[in-house]
CSV table of all heavy atoms in Angstrom, one decimal:
chain,number,residue,atom,x,y,z
A,4,MET,N,0.8,-1.2,0.0
A,4,MET,CA,0.0,0.0,0.0
A,4,MET,C,0.9,1.2,0.0
A,4,MET,O,1.9,1.3,0.7
A,4,MET,CB,-0.9,0.0,1.2
A,4,MET,CG,-1.7,1.3,1.3
A,4,MET,SD,-3.0,1.4,2.5
A,4,MET,CE,-2.4,0.6,4.0
A,5,CYS,N,0.5,2.2,-0.8
A,5,CYS,CA,1.3,3.4,-0.9
A,5,CYS,C,0.5,4.6,-0.3
A,5,CYS,O,-0.7,4.8,-0.8
A,5,CYS,CB,1.7,3.7,-2.3
A,5,CYS,SG,2.6,5.3,-2.5
A,6,ILE,N,1.0,5.2,0.7
A,6,ILE,CA,0.3,6.4,1.3
A,6,ILE,C,1.0,7.6,1.0
A,6,ILE,O,2.3,7.7,1.2
A,6,ILE,CB,0.2,6.2,2.8
A,6,ILE,CG1,-0.7,4.9,3.1
A,6,ILE,CG2,-0.5,7.4,3.4
A,6,ILE,CD1,-0.7,4.6,4.6
A,7,ARG,N,0.4,8.6,0.4
A,7,ARG,CA,1.1,9.8,0.0
A,7,ARG,C,0.7,10.9,1.0
A,7,ARG,O,-0.5,11.3,1.0
A,7,ARG,CB,0.6,10.3,-1.4
A,7,ARG,CG,1.2,9.4,-2.5
A,7,ARG,CD,2.3,10.1,-3.1
A,7,ARG,NE,2.9,9.3,-4.1
A,7,ARG,CZ,4.2,9.3,-4.3
A,7,ARG,NH1,4.9,10.1,-3.7
A,7,ARG,NH2,4.8,8.5,-5.2
A,8,ASP,N,1.6,11.3,1.8
A,8,ASP,CA,1.4,12.3,2.8
A,8,ASP,C,2.5,13.3,2.7
A,8,ASP,O,3.6,13.0,2.2
A,8,ASP,CB,1.3,11.8,4.2
A,8,ASP,CG,0.0,11.1,4.5
A,8,ASP,OD1,-1.0,11.6,4.0
A,8,ASP,OD2,0.0,10.1,5.3
A,9,SER,N,2.3,14.5,3.1
A,9,SER,CA,3.3,15.6,3.1
A,9,SER,C,3.4,16.2,4.4
A,9,SER,O,2.3,16.6,5.0
A,9,SER,CB,3.0,16.6,2.0
A,9,SER,OG,3.9,17.6,2.0
A,10,TYR,N,4.5,16.3,5.0
A,10,TYR,CA,4.7,17.0,6.3
A,10,TYR,C,5.7,18.1,6.1
A,10,TYR,O,6.7,18.0,5.4
A,10,TYR,CB,5.4,16.0,7.3
A,10,TYR,CG,4.5,14.8,7.5
A,10,TYR,CD1,4.7,13.6,6.8
A,10,TYR,CD2,3.5,14.8,8.5
A,10,TYR,CE1,4.0,12.5,7.0
A,10,TYR,CE2,2.7,13.6,8.7
A,10,TYR,CZ,3.0,12.5,8.0
A,10,TYR,OH,2.2,11.4,8.2
A,11,THR,N,5.3,19.3,6.6
A,11,THR,CA,6.1,20.5,6.4
A,11,THR,C,6.5,21.1,7.7
A,11,THR,O,5.7,21.2,8.6
A,11,THR,CB,5.3,21.5,5.6
A,11,THR,OG1,4.9,20.9,4.3
A,11,THR,CG2,6.1,22.8,5.3
A,12,LYS,N,7.8,21.4,7.8
A,12,LYS,CA,8.3,22.1,9.0
A,12,LYS,C,9.3,23.2,8.5
A,12,LYS,O,9.9,23.0,7.4
A,12,LYS,CB,9.0,21.2,10.0
A,12,LYS,CG,7.9,20.3,10.6
A,12,LYS,CD,8.5,19.7,11.9
A,12,LYS,CE,7.5,18.8,12.5
A,12,LYS,NZ,7.9,18.3,13.8
A,13,VAL,N,9.5,24.2,9.2
A,13,VAL,CA,10.4,25.3,8.9
A,13,VAL,C,11.5,25.4,9.9
A,13,VAL,O,11.2,25.5,11.1
A,13,VAL,CB,9.7,26.6,8.7
A,13,VAL,CG1,10.6,27.8,8.4
A,13,VAL,CG2,8.6,26.5,7.6
A,14,GLN,N,12.7,25.5,9.5
A,14,GLN,CA,13.9,25.8,10.4
A,14,GLN,C,14.5,27.1,9.8
A,14,GLN,O,15.1,27.1,8.8
A,14,GLN,CB,14.9,24.6,10.3
A,14,GLN,CG,16.2,24.9,11.0
A,14,GLN,CD,16.1,25.3,12.5
A,14,GLN,OE1,15.7,26.5,12.8
A,14,GLN,NE2,16.3,24.4,13.4
A,15,ASP,N,14.3,28.2,10.5
A,15,ASP,CA,14.8,29.4,10.1
A,15,ASP,C,16.1,29.8,10.7
A,15,ASP,O,16.7,30.8,10.4
A,15,ASP,CB,13.7,30.6,10.3
A,15,ASP,CG,13.4,30.8,11.8
A,15,ASP,OD1,14.0,30.1,12.6
A,15,ASP,OD2,12.5,31.7,12.0
A,16,GLY,N,16.6,28.9,11.7
A,16,GLY,CA,17.9,29.2,12.3
A,16,GLY,C,17.9,30.2,13.3
A,16,GLY,O,18.9,30.6,13.9
A,17,VAL,N,16.7,30.7,13.7
A,17,VAL,CA,16.6,31.8,14.7
A,17,VAL,C,15.7,31.3,15.9
A,17,VAL,O,14.6,30.8,15.6
A,17,VAL,CB,16.0,33.1,14.1
A,17,VAL,CG1,15.9,34.2,15.1
A,17,VAL,CG2,16.9,33.5,13.0
A,18,SER,N,16.1,31.4,17.1
A,18,SER,CA,15.2,31.0,18.2
A,18,SER,C,14.8,32.2,19.1
A,18,SER,O,14.1,32.0,20.0
A,18,SER,CB,15.9,29.9,19.0
A,18,SER,OG,17.1,30.5,19.6
A,19,GLY,N,15.4,33.4,18.8
A,19,GLY,CA,15.0,34.5,19.6
A,19,GLY,C,15.8,35.7,19.2
A,19,GLY,O,16.6,35.7,18.3
A,20,TYR,N,15.7,36.8,20.0
A,20,TYR,CA,16.4,38.0,19.7
A,20,TYR,C,17.9,37.9,19.7
A,20,TYR,O,18.5,37.4,20.6
A,20,TYR,CB,15.9,39.1,20.7
A,20,TYR,CG,16.6,40.4,20.5
A,20,TYR,CD1,16.2,41.2,19.4
A,20,TYR,CD2,17.6,40.9,21.4
A,20,TYR,CE1,16.9,42.5,19.2
A,20,TYR,CE2,18.2,42.1,21.2
A,20,TYR,CZ,17.8,42.9,20.1
A,20,TYR,OH,18.4,44.1,19.9
A,21,LEU,N,18.6,38.2,18.6
A,21,LEU,CA,20.0,38.2,18.4
A,21,LEU,C,20.6,36.7,18.7
A,21,LEU,O,21.6,36.6,19.3
A,21,LEU,CB,20.7,39.2,19.2
A,21,LEU,CG,20.4,40.6,18.9
A,21,LEU,CD1,21.2,41.6,19.9
A,21,LEU,CD2,20.9,40.9,17.4
A,22,SER,N,19.8,35.7,18.3
A,22,SER,CA,20.3,34.4,18.7
A,22,SER,C,20.2,33.5,17.4
A,22,SER,O,19.7,33.9,16.4
A,22,SER,CB,19.5,33.7,19.8
A,22,SER,OG,18.1,33.6,19.4
A,23,HIS,N,20.8,32.3,17.5
A,23,HIS,CA,20.9,31.4,16.4
A,23,HIS,C,20.7,30.0,17.0
A,23,HIS,O,21.2,29.6,18.0
A,23,HIS,CB,22.2,31.5,15.7
A,23,HIS,CG,22.4,30.6,14.6
A,23,HIS,ND1,21.8,30.8,13.4
A,23,HIS,CD2,23.0,29.4,14.4
A,23,HIS,CE1,22.1,29.8,12.5
A,23,HIS,NE2,22.8,28.9,13.2
A,24,SER,N,20.0,29.1,16.2
A,24,SER,CA,19.7,27.8,16.7
A,24,SER,C,19.8,26.8,15.5
A,24,SER,O,19.2,27.1,14.5
A,24,SER,CB,18.3,27.7,17.3
A,24,SER,OG,18.0,26.4,17.6
A,25,ASP,N,20.4,25.7,15.8
A,25,ASP,CA,20.5,24.6,14.8
A,25,ASP,C,19.7,23.4,15.3
A,25,ASP,O,20.1,22.2,15.1
A,25,ASP,CB,21.9,24.2,14.5
A,25,ASP,CG,22.6,25.2,13.6
A,25,ASP,OD1,21.9,25.9,12.8
A,25,ASP,OD2,23.8,25.3,13.7
A,26,ALA,N,18.6,23.7,15.9
A,26,ALA,CA,17.8,22.6,16.5
A,26,ALA,C,17.2,21.7,15.3
A,26,ALA,O,16.8,22.2,14.3
A,26,ALA,CB,16.6,23.1,17.3
A,27,PRO,N,17.2,20.4,15.5
A,27,PRO,CA,16.7,19.5,14.4
A,27,PRO,C,15.2,19.6,14.3
A,27,PRO,O,14.5,20.0,15.2
A,27,PRO,CB,17.1,18.1,14.9
A,27,PRO,CG,17.4,18.2,16.3
A,27,PRO,CD,17.8,19.6,16.6
A,28,LEU,N,14.7,19.1,13.1
A,28,LEU,CA,13.3,19.1,12.9
A,28,LEU,C,12.9,17.6,13.1
A,28,LEU,O,13.5,16.7,12.6
A,28,LEU,CB,13.0,19.5,11.5
A,28,LEU,CG,13.3,20.9,11.1
A,28,LEU,CD1,13.1,21.2,9.6
A,28,LEU,CD2,12.6,21.9,12.0
A,29,TYR,N,11.8,17.4,13.9
A,29,TYR,CA,11.3,16.1,14.1
A,29,TYR,C,9.9,15.9,13.4
A,29,TYR,O,9.1,16.8,13.5
A,29,TYR,CB,11.1,15.9,15.6
A,29,TYR,CG,12.4,15.9,16.4
A,29,TYR,CD1,12.9,17.0,17.0
A,29,TYR,CD2,13.2,14.7,16.5
A,29,TYR,CE1,14.1,17.0,17.7
A,29,TYR,CE2,14.4,14.7,17.1
A,29,TYR,CZ,14.9,15.9,17.8
A,29,TYR,OH,16.0,15.9,18.4
A,30,PHE,N,9.8,14.7,12.8
A,30,PHE,CA,8.5,14.4,12.1
A,30,PHE,C,8.0,13.1,12.7
A,30,PHE,O,8.6,12.1,12.7
A,30,PHE,CB,8.8,14.2,10.6
A,30,PHE,CG,9.2,15.4,9.9
A,30,PHE,CD1,10.5,15.8,9.9
A,30,PHE,CD2,8.3,16.3,9.3
A,30,PHE,CE1,10.9,17.0,9.2
A,30,PHE,CE2,8.6,17.4,8.6
A,30,PHE,CZ,10.0,17.8,8.6
A,31,GLY,N,6.8,13.2,13.3
A,31,GLY,CA,6.1,12.0,13.8
A,31,GLY,C,5.5,11.2,12.7
A,31,GLY,O,4.6,11.8,11.9
A,32,LEU,N,5.9,10.0,12.5
A,32,LEU,CA,5.4,9.2,11.4
A,32,LEU,C,4.4,8.1,11.8
A,32,LEU,O,4.0,7.3,11.0
A,32,LEU,CB,6.6,8.6,10.7
A,32,LEU,CG,7.6,9.5,10.1
A,32,LEU,CD1,8.8,8.8,9.5
A,32,LEU,CD2,7.0,10.5,9.1
A,33,GLY,N,4.1,8.0,13.1
A,33,GLY,CA,3.2,7.0,13.6
A,33,GLY,C,3.7,5.6,13.4
A,33,GLY,O,4.9,5.4,13.8
A,34,ASP,N,3.0,4.7,12.8
A,34,ASP,CA,3.4,3.4,12.6
A,34,ASP,C,4.3,3.2,11.3
A,34,ASP,O,4.7,2.0,11.0
A,34,ASP,CB,2.3,2.4,12.5
A,34,ASP,CG,1.5,2.3,13.9
A,34,ASP,OD1,2.2,2.6,14.9
A,34,ASP,OD2,0.3,2.0,13.9
A,35,VAL,N,4.5,4.2,10.6
A,35,VAL,CA,5.3,4.1,9.3
A,35,VAL,C,6.8,3.8,9.6
A,35,VAL,O,7.4,4.4,10.5
A,35,VAL,CB,5.2,5.4,8.6
A,35,VAL,CG1,6.1,5.4,7.3
A,35,VAL,CG2,3.8,5.7,8.2
A,36,ALA,N,7.3,2.7,9.0
A,36,ALA,CA,8.7,2.3,9.2
A,36,ALA,C,9.7,2.9,8.3
A,36,ALA,O,10.8,3.0,8.6
A,36,ALA,CB,8.7,0.8,9.1
A,37,LYS,N,9.2,3.4,7.1
A,37,LYS,CA,10.1,3.9,6.1
A,37,LYS,C,9.4,5.0,5.3
A,37,LYS,O,8.1,5.0,5.2
A,37,LYS,CB,10.6,2.9,5.1
A,37,LYS,CG,11.4,1.8,5.7
A,37,LYS,CD,11.7,0.8,4.6
A,37,LYS,CE,12.5,-0.4,5.3
A,37,LYS,NZ,12.9,-1.4,4.3
A,38,VAL,N,10.1,5.9,4.7
A,38,VAL,CA,9.6,6.9,3.9
A,38,VAL,C,10.2,6.8,2.5
A,38,VAL,O,11.4,6.3,2.4
A,38,VAL,CB,9.7,8.4,4.4
A,38,VAL,CG1,9.0,8.6,5.7
A,38,VAL,CG2,11.2,8.7,4.6
A,39,ASP,N,9.5,7.1,1.4
A,39,ASP,CA,10.0,7.0,0.1
A,39,ASP,C,11.0,8.0,-0.3
A,39,ASP,O,12.0,7.8,-1.1
A,39,ASP,CB,8.9,7.0,-0.9
A,39,ASP,CG,7.9,5.9,-0.7
A,39,ASP,OD1,8.3,4.8,-0.4
A,39,ASP,OD2,6.7,6.1,-0.9
A,40,SER,N,10.9,9.2,0.2
A,40,SER,CA,11.8,10.3,-0.1
A,40,SER,C,11.6,11.5,0.8
A,40,SER,O,10.6,11.6,1.5
A,40,SER,CB,11.6,10.8,-1.6
A,40,SER,OG,10.4,11.4,-1.7
A,41,ILE,N,12.6,12.3,0.8
A,41,ILE,CA,12.5,13.6,1.6
A,41,ILE,C,12.8,14.7,0.6
A,41,ILE,O,13.8,14.6,-0.1
A,41,ILE,CB,13.6,13.6,2.7
A,41,ILE,CG1,13.3,12.5,3.7
A,41,ILE,CG2,13.6,15.0,3.4
A,41,ILE,CD1,14.4,12.4,4.8
A,42,GLU,N,12.0,15.7,0.6
A,42,GLU,CA,12.2,16.9,-0.3
A,42,GLU,C,12.5,18.1,0.6
A,42,GLU,O,11.7,18.4,1.5
A,42,GLU,CB,11.1,17.2,-1.2
A,42,GLU,CG,11.4,18.3,-2.1
A,42,GLU,CD,10.3,18.6,-3.1
A,42,GLU,OE1,10.3,17.9,-4.2
A,42,GLU,OE2,9.4,19.4,-2.8
A,43,VAL,N,13.6,18.8,0.4
A,43,VAL,CA,13.9,20.0,1.1
A,43,VAL,C,13.9,21.2,0.2
A,43,VAL,O,14.5,21.1,-0.9
A,43,VAL,CB,15.4,19.9,1.8
A,43,VAL,CG1,15.7,21.2,2.5
A,43,VAL,CG2,15.4,18.7,2.7
A,44,THR,N,13.3,22.3,0.6
A,44,THR,CA,13.4,23.6,-0.1
A,44,THR,C,14.2,24.5,0.7
A,44,THR,O,13.9,24.8,1.8
A,44,THR,CB,12.0,24.2,-0.3
A,44,THR,OG1,11.1,23.3,-1.0
A,44,THR,CG2,12.1,25.5,-1.1
A,45,TRP,N,15.4,24.8,0.2
A,45,TRP,CA,16.4,25.6,0.9
A,45,TRP,C,16.0,27.1,0.8
A,45,TRP,O,15.3,27.5,-0.1
A,45,TRP,CB,17.8,25.4,0.3
A,45,TRP,CG,18.2,23.9,0.5
A,45,TRP,CD1,18.2,22.9,-0.5
A,45,TRP,CD2,18.7,23.3,1.7
A,45,TRP,NE1,18.6,21.8,0.1
A,45,TRP,CE2,19.0,22.0,1.4
A,45,TRP,CE3,18.9,23.8,3.0
A,45,TRP,CZ2,19.4,21.1,2.4
A,45,TRP,CZ3,19.4,22.9,3.9
A,45,TRP,CH2,19.7,21.6,3.6
A,46,PRO,N,16.6,28.0,1.7
A,46,PRO,CA,16.3,29.4,1.7
A,46,PRO,C,16.6,30.0,0.3
A,46,PRO,O,16.0,31.0,-0.1
A,46,PRO,CB,17.2,30.0,2.7
A,46,PRO,CG,17.4,28.8,3.7
A,46,PRO,CD,17.4,27.6,2.9
A,47,SER,N,17.5,29.4,-0.5
A,47,SER,CA,17.9,29.9,-1.8
A,47,SER,C,16.8,29.6,-2.8
A,47,SER,O,17.0,29.9,-4.0
A,47,SER,CB,19.2,29.3,-2.3
A,47,SER,OG,19.1,27.9,-2.4
A,48,SER,N,15.8,28.9,-2.4
A,48,SER,CA,14.7,28.4,-3.2
A,48,SER,C,15.0,27.1,-4.0
A,48,SER,O,14.2,26.6,-4.8
A,48,SER,CB,14.1,29.5,-4.2
A,48,SER,OG,13.6,30.5,-3.5
A,49,ALA,N,16.3,26.6,-3.9
A,49,ALA,CA,16.7,25.4,-4.5
A,49,ALA,C,15.9,24.2,-3.8
A,49,ALA,O,15.7,24.2,-2.6
A,49,ALA,CB,18.1,25.2,-4.4
A,50,LYS,N,15.5,23.3,-4.6
A,50,LYS,CA,14.8,22.1,-4.1
A,50,LYS,C,15.8,20.9,-4.2
A,50,LYS,O,16.5,20.7,-5.2
A,50,LYS,CB,13.5,21.8,-4.8
A,50,LYS,CG,12.5,22.8,-4.5
A,50,LYS,CD,11.1,22.4,-5.0
A,50,LYS,CE,10.1,23.4,-4.6
A,50,LYS,NZ,8.8,23.1,-4.9
A,51,GLN,N,15.8,20.1,-3.2
A,51,GLN,CA,16.7,18.9,-3.2
A,51,GLN,C,15.9,17.7,-2.7
A,51,GLN,O,15.1,17.8,-1.7
A,51,GLN,CB,17.9,19.2,-2.2
A,51,GLN,CG,18.8,18.0,-2.1
A,51,GLN,CD,20.0,18.4,-1.2
A,51,GLN,OE1,20.2,19.6,-0.9
A,51,GLN,NE2,20.8,17.5,-0.8
A,52,THR,N,15.9,16.6,-3.4
A,52,THR,CA,15.2,15.4,-3.0
A,52,THR,C,16.2,14.3,-2.7
A,52,THR,O,17.1,14.0,-3.4
A,52,THR,CB,14.3,14.9,-4.2
A,52,THR,OG1,13.4,16.0,-4.5
A,52,THR,CG2,13.5,13.7,-3.8
A,53,VAL,N,15.9,13.7,-1.5
A,53,VAL,CA,16.7,12.5,-1.1
A,53,VAL,C,15.9,11.3,-1.3
A,53,VAL,O,14.8,11.2,-0.7
A,53,VAL,CB,17.1,12.7,0.4
A,53,VAL,CG1,17.9,11.5,0.8
A,53,VAL,CG2,17.9,13.9,0.6
A,54,SER,N,16.3,10.4,-2.2
A,54,SER,CA,15.5,9.2,-2.5
A,54,SER,C,15.6,8.2,-1.4
A,54,SER,O,16.7,8.1,-0.8
A,54,SER,CB,15.9,8.6,-3.8
A,54,SER,OG,15.7,9.5,-4.8
A,55,GLY,N,14.6,7.4,-1.2
A,55,GLY,CA,14.6,6.3,-0.2
A,55,GLY,C,14.6,5.0,-0.8
A,55,GLY,O,15.0,4.8,-1.9
A,56,PRO,N,14.3,4.0,0.0
A,56,PRO,CA,13.6,4.1,1.3
A,56,PRO,C,14.5,4.6,2.4
A,56,PRO,O,15.7,4.3,2.4
A,56,PRO,CB,13.0,2.7,1.6
A,56,PRO,CG,13.9,1.8,0.8
A,56,PRO,CD,14.4,2.6,-0.4
A,57,ILE,N,14.0,5.4,3.3
A,57,ILE,CA,14.7,6.0,4.4
A,57,ILE,C,14.0,5.5,5.6
A,57,ILE,O,12.8,5.7,5.8
A,57,ILE,CB,14.7,7.5,4.4
A,57,ILE,CG1,15.3,8.0,3.1
A,57,ILE,CG2,15.4,8.1,5.6
A,57,ILE,CD1,15.1,9.4,2.7
A,58,ASN,N,14.7,4.8,6.5
A,58,ASN,CA,14.1,4.2,7.7
A,58,ASN,C,13.7,5.3,8.7
A,58,ASN,O,14.4,6.3,8.8
A,58,ASN,CB,15.2,3.3,8.4
A,58,ASN,CG,15.4,2.0,7.6
A,58,ASN,OD1,14.5,1.5,6.9
A,58,ASN,ND2,16.6,1.5,7.7
A,59,ALA,N,12.6,5.0,9.4
A,59,ALA,CA,12.2,5.9,10.5
A,59,ALA,C,13.0,5.7,11.7
A,59,ALA,O,13.9,4.9,11.8
A,59,ALA,CB,10.7,5.6,10.8
A,60,ASN,N,12.8,6.5,12.7
A,60,ASN,CA,13.4,6.4,14.0
A,60,ASN,C,15.0,6.6,13.9
A,60,ASN,O,15.7,5.9,14.5
A,60,ASN,CB,13.1,5.1,14.7
A,60,ASN,CG,11.6,5.0,15.0
A,60,ASN,OD1,11.0,6.0,15.4
A,60,ASN,ND2,11.1,3.9,14.7
A,61,GLN,N,15.4,7.6,13.2
A,61,GLN,CA,16.8,7.9,13.1
A,61,GLN,C,17.0,9.3,12.8
A,61,GLN,O,16.1,10.0,12.4
A,61,GLN,CB,17.5,7.0,12.0
A,61,GLN,CG,17.0,7.5,10.6
A,61,GLN,CD,17.8,6.8,9.5
A,61,GLN,OE1,19.0,6.5,9.7
A,61,GLN,NE2,17.2,6.5,8.4
A,62,LEU,N,18.2,9.8,13.2
A,62,LEU,CA,18.6,11.2,12.8
A,62,LEU,C,19.2,11.2,11.4
A,62,LEU,O,20.0,10.3,11.1
A,62,LEU,CB,19.7,11.7,13.8
A,62,LEU,CG,20.1,13.1,13.6
A,62,LEU,CD1,19.0,14.1,13.7
A,62,LEU,CD2,21.3,13.4,14.6
A,63,PHE,N,18.6,12.0,10.6
A,63,PHE,CA,19.0,12.0,9.2
A,63,PHE,C,19.4,13.4,8.8
A,63,PHE,O,18.6,14.4,9.0
A,63,PHE,CB,17.8,11.6,8.3
A,63,PHE,CG,18.2,11.3,6.9
A,63,PHE,CD1,18.6,10.1,6.5
A,63,PHE,CD2,17.9,12.3,5.9
A,63,PHE,CE1,19.0,9.8,5.2
A,63,PHE,CE2,18.3,12.0,4.6
A,63,PHE,CZ,18.8,10.8,4.2
A,64,THR,N,20.6,13.6,8.3
A,64,THR,CA,21.2,14.9,8.0
A,64,THR,C,21.1,15.2,6.5
A,64,THR,O,21.6,14.3,5.7
A,64,THR,CB,22.6,15.1,8.5
A,64,THR,OG1,22.6,14.8,9.9
A,64,THR,CG2,23.1,16.5,8.3
A,65,VAL,N,20.5,16.3,6.1
A,65,VAL,CA,20.6,16.7,4.7
A,65,VAL,C,21.3,18.0,4.6
A,65,VAL,O,21.0,19.0,5.3
A,65,VAL,CB,19.1,16.9,4.2
A,65,VAL,CG1,19.1,17.3,2.7
A,65,VAL,CG2,18.3,15.6,4.4
A,66,THR,N,22.3,18.0,3.7
A,66,THR,CA,23.1,19.2,3.5
A,66,THR,C,22.9,19.8,2.1
A,66,THR,O,22.9,19.0,1.2
A,66,THR,CB,24.7,18.8,3.7
A,66,THR,OG1,24.8,18.2,4.9
A,66,THR,CG2,25.5,20.0,3.6
A,67,GLU,N,22.8,21.1,2.1
A,67,GLU,CA,22.5,21.7,0.8
A,67,GLU,C,23.6,21.4,-0.2
A,67,GLU,O,24.8,21.6,0.1
A,67,GLU,CB,22.2,23.2,0.9
A,67,GLU,CG,21.8,23.9,-0.3
A,67,GLU,CD,21.5,25.3,-0.1
A,67,GLU,OE1,21.8,25.9,0.9
A,67,GLU,OE2,20.9,25.9,-1.1
A,68,LYS,N,23.3,21.1,-1.4
A,68,LYS,CA,24.3,20.8,-2.5
A,68,LYS,C,24.6,22.1,-3.2
A,68,LYS,O,23.8,23.0,-3.3
A,68,LYS,CB,23.8,19.8,-3.5
A,68,LYS,CG,23.7,18.4,-2.9
A,68,LYS,CD,23.3,17.5,-4.0
A,68,LYS,CE,23.2,16.1,-3.4
A,68,LYS,NZ,22.9,15.1,-4.4
């Protein structure tokens, strides 16, 4: 079964007045064990897709190309 869902979160790098934060983004996937891909839209408006399958319950780092 293929379920198409989209989850959106924003990391602007700012957590308060004159501060900076690199806090990770967390996505609750429920019972889903893997995702098919991750798409990132960078501040430069460039889009980057990481193909899967990507296992859930892990820290996954995406770096802008």
Side-chain angles (χ1 to χ4, degrees):
M4 174 170 44
C5 180
I6 299 173
R7 291 256 174 216
D8 285 324
S9 177
Y10 301 92
T11 302
K12 291 197 178 186
V13 175
Q14 170 56 282
D15 63 3
V17 180
S18 60
Y20 179 71
L21 294 176
S22 63
H23 180 78
S24 173
D25 285 332
L28 299 176
Y29 294 96
F30 293 86
L32 301 176
D34 293 335
V35 174
K37 296 179 182 181
V38 296
D39 296 326
S40 64
I41 297 173
E42 183 178 273
V43 178
T44 303
W45 297 100
S47 65
S48 297
K50 289 190 179 184
Q51 182 176 344
T52 301
V53 179
S54 298
I57 301 163
N58 292 326
N60 298 318
Q61 68 173 327
L62 179 63
F63 191 85
T64 303
V65 180
T66 305
E67 186 175 10
K68 291 183 177 182

